[in-house]
Amino acid sequence: MLAQCMRSPKVARVSVLSRRRVSQAEGNDKVKVFIYKDYDAYPDSLLSELKGAIGCIWALGISTSQVKPDEYRKITYDYALAAAKAFASLSSTFNFVYISGEGATHSPGRFTPLFARVKGDAETSLLALRSDRPGLRIWNVRPAFIDESQNPLKEGPDVMVKKLAYRAAPLLRIVWPSGVSPTGPLAELLESCALETASIEDVKDRIQGTGVTVEEGDTLGVLLANKGIRRLAGL
């Protein structure tokens, strides 16, 4: 995602909030990295540095297998809500693009997995923020299997996970194409969501169709399932 933003002529400035240095961004004048560890709160000093930004691609996350349920909810739900609330004031229209995941649900059942329940809760709560933040636009994006075989991720899963993904990708592209999210087209689509400035009506006319739900409200709220991601990306 960072590589896409760095090379895109549509993006003038990129601010990265990270717990550690981002080697990929070093030497690039377009990018400023903020070493930041408290994702529960955003002081005025930081928000003043980010002022004027029109979008955020919220890609912070972790696997349910790596942390306890309470910590998973804090990272997946609490941090995202805190960021959206704080960033809504950075510009008159602000796009908050939440990287959710295929399988997330707003109607969990008894046997719904933790990730699907928590990500679904986050999507619902993010959409609700629009009621008293008229400039806030929410994009809940649900990619499925991340296929990085054509555009390798600079940061991400450990070596073993990468090896398994590389072996699985060719087969999945054949037997389950609708469940695959290639990193290149996905990054381009996420960028376009973060930069969107058109009216709700114009956006709806342009994106409505299979895999896309435009929520009711005075400000834009969109759910992109993986089928919608692929369709809008021309896949």
Side-chain angles (χ1 to χ4, degrees):
M1 188 66 248
L2 179 56
Q4 171 64 32
C5 291
M6 288 195 299
R7 65 174 171 259
S8 174
K10 299 177 183 178
V11 178
R13 178 167 60 97
V14 181
S15 299
V16 179
L17 302 185
S18 175
R19 295 181 184 276
R20 58 185 71 86
R21 61 183 285 266
V22 181
S23 57
Q24 185 183 3
E26 292 176 356
N28 191 303
D29 294 337
K30 183 190 285 190
V31 184
K32 184 171 183 178
V33 177
F34 297 87
I35 303 301
Y36 197 69
K37 298 185 178 181
D38 183 10
Y39 291 93
D40 279 320
Y42 296 85
D44 290 341
S45 57
L46 175 60
L47 294 178
S48 66
E49 292 270 9
L50 303 176
K51 195 71 175 177
I54 64 170
C56 167
I57 298 171
W58 190 257
L60 187 152
I62 196 167
S63 169
T64 56
S65 64
Q66 294 178 279
V67 292
K68 294 181 179 180
D70 287 350
E71 184 67 11
Y72 180 78
R73 185 173 183 85
K74 182 176 183 180
I75 294 170
T76 307
Y77 179 94
D78 294 348
Y79 287 171
L81 267 290
K85 290 175 183 178
F87 298 165
S89 62
L90 294 180
S91 60
S92 57
T93 298
F94 190 87
N95 294 291
F96 190 85
V97 185
Y98 178 67
I99 310 300
S100 183
E102 195 75 354
T105 177
H106 299 172
S107 304
R110 182 178 178 183
F111 300 106
T112 300
L114 178 64
F115 89 90
R117 182 186 302 271
V118 176
K119 285 184 178 291
D121 287 349
E123 292 177 358
T124 299
S125 295
L126 285 168
L127 289 169
L129 293 180
R130 299 174 301 148
S131 63
D132 57 358
R133 294 171 177 83
L136 180 62
R137 295 178 162 197
I138 299 296
W139 299 78
N140 290 319
V141 184
R142 295 178 177 178
F145 174 79
I146 302 297
D147 178 8
E148 58 168 307
S149 57
Q150 303 300 315
N151 300 86
L153 297 170
K154 299 296 184 182
E155 316 255 348
D158 59 34
V159 174
M160 184 58 70
V161 174
K162 276 180 172 286
K163 286 183 178 180
L164 290 173
Y166 268 89
R167 290 177 180 177
L171 178 61
L172 289 174
R173 285 197 295 269
I174 295 172
V175 302
W176 189 41
S178 64
V180 175
S181 304
T183 51
L186 175 61
E188 291 181 15
L189 180 63
L190 294 173
E191 177 199 356
S192 68
C193 294
L195 296 176
E196 184 61 73
T197 59
S199 69
I200 296 177
E201 293 75 17
D202 287 346
V203 174
K204 183 184 293 187
D205 288 343
R206 190 179 344 120
I207 70 174
Q208 64 183 350
T210 303
V212 175
T213 302
V214 180
E215 305 289 341
E216 295 296 326
D218 294 330
T219 62
L220 190 65
V222 178
L223 171 61
L224 296 180
N226 196 54
K227 286 185 177 180
I229 294 171
R230 291 181 59 85
R231 178 173 60 81
L232 294 174
L235 299 173

